[in-house]
Amino acid sequence: MRVNEIFYSLQGEGRFTGTAAVFVRLSGCNLRCSFCDTRHETYTSLTEDEIVRQVVAYPSPHVVITGGEPTLQLTQSLVDKLHEAGRFIQIETNGSIPLDSELVRAIDWITCSPKELPVKIGRVDELKVVYEGQDMTPYETMGQEYRAVLSLQPCDTGDEARNVQLLDEAVCYIQAHPQWRLSLQTHKLIHIP
Ligand code: SF4
């Protein structure tokens, strides 16, 4: 597998914010988002067993498989091996690639941050919307369809004034639509990976 990096940190975003997790960042993505803040292109080729060996060196049972877009490479056998090692597997996906239903069932938690709608993944546990001021109506519909935990995350645009405006709008939106919760990129706030 093409692995960009494996590192230990706290989950910075979404439902599991603040909890320790091992991050497996797989290389490559099928999309090119203007606000993408991950450098996922470079990689080392690792076998699944090598990935598992690195993951289990850390004490947290929580593994976040992210990217890039992890579903380009994710396999049932890697999920099975991580489960055999007692790990809880969360993936962070853009949802644009259909996944085998058995693999969908095997993953413990699917966080989907859609960049294109409708998404093609069969299950979403958490819908994490990167908020850029867009119409939220389609995400409301999607959240109801999937019965997902709803996280609204102001986009880091790189423009401080715009970021403040998006945060204000997100807070107002959540106050008016309390089924949503605020997701901040807390790892950036506290300067950890
Ligand atoms: S889907 Fe995610 S990883 Fe891929 S380009 Fe967009 S923000 Fe970056």
Side-chain angles (χ1 to χ4, degrees), residues 25 28-38 40 67-69 93-94 96 113 115 130:
R25 187 183 306 287
C29 187
N30 58 326
L31 301 181
R32 296 280 177 275
C33 303
S34 58
F35 53 78
C36 186
D37 58 3
T38 53
H40 54 76
E69 175 45 49
T93 175
N94 61 37
S96 65
S113 189
K115 311 303 185 295
V130 178

Side-chain angles (χ1 to χ4, degrees), residues 5-192:
E5 58 179 342
I6 297 175
F7 62 99
Y8 192 46
S9 188
L10 305 186
Q11 174 58 281
E13 308 176 353
R15 166 70 176 74
F16 297 102
T17 295
T19 57
V22 186
F23 290 79
V24 178
R25 187 183 306 287
L26 300 182
S27 172
C29 187
N30 58 326
L31 301 181
R32 296 280 177 275
C33 303
S34 58
F35 53 78
C36 186
D37 58 3
T38 53
R39 300 201 175 283
H40 54 76
E41 293 86 3
T42 60
Y43 65 88
T44 305
S45 291
L46 297 178
T47 66
E48 293 176 357
D49 289 336
E50 286 169 333
I51 294 171
V52 173
R53 264 200 297 280
Q54 290 195 34
V55 165
V56 300
Y58 299 104
S60 173
H62 191 134
V63 182
V64 182
I65 303 180
T66 188
E69 175 45 49
T71 62
L72 289 169
Q73 298 189 69
L74 188 63
T75 60
Q76 182 77 47
S77 53
L78 178 63
V79 169
D80 290 345
K81 286 175 184 179
L82 288 168
H83 276 155
E84 280 161 24
R87 266 47 192 176
F88 175 95
I89 301 160
Q90 175 186 6
I91 69 163
E92 296 179 327
T93 175
N94 61 37
S96 65
I97 296 172
L99 264 193
D100 177 79
S101 57
E102 193 181 336
L103 181 51
V104 165
R105 270 196 302 277
I107 297 163
D108 298 295
W109 187 270
I110 297 175
T111 296
C112 179
S113 189
K115 311 303 185 295
E116 300 172 345
L117 292 174
V119 296
K120 297 181 180 150
I121 195 161
R123 193 185 107 219
V124 173
D125 300 299
E126 176 183 22
L127 170 59
K128 188 174 69 182
V129 173
V130 178
Y131 181 67
E132 299 178 276
Q134 69 269 49
D135 176 14
M136 288 292 292
T137 311
Y139 303 103
E140 294 286 0
T141 306
M142 180 185 164
Q144 280 171 13
E145 276 172 13
Y146 285 93
R147 298 172 183 225
V149 169
L150 304 175
S151 298
L152 189 59
Q153 180 170 296
C155 183
D156 180 1
T157 62
D159 175 338
E160 196 50 44
R162 178 71 180 141
N163 286 358
V164 169
Q165 185 186 355
L166 290 175
L167 175 59
D168 284 349
E169 288 179 18
V171 169
C172 286
Y173 190 85
I174 294 165
Q175 286 175 332
H177 305 83
Q179 64 274 28
W180 291 83
R181 62 176 67 199
L182 185 66
S183 172
L184 297 176
Q185 292 185 294
T186 56
H187 52 294
K188 290 185 179 176
L189 299 176
I190 61 174
H191 308 294
I192 59 172

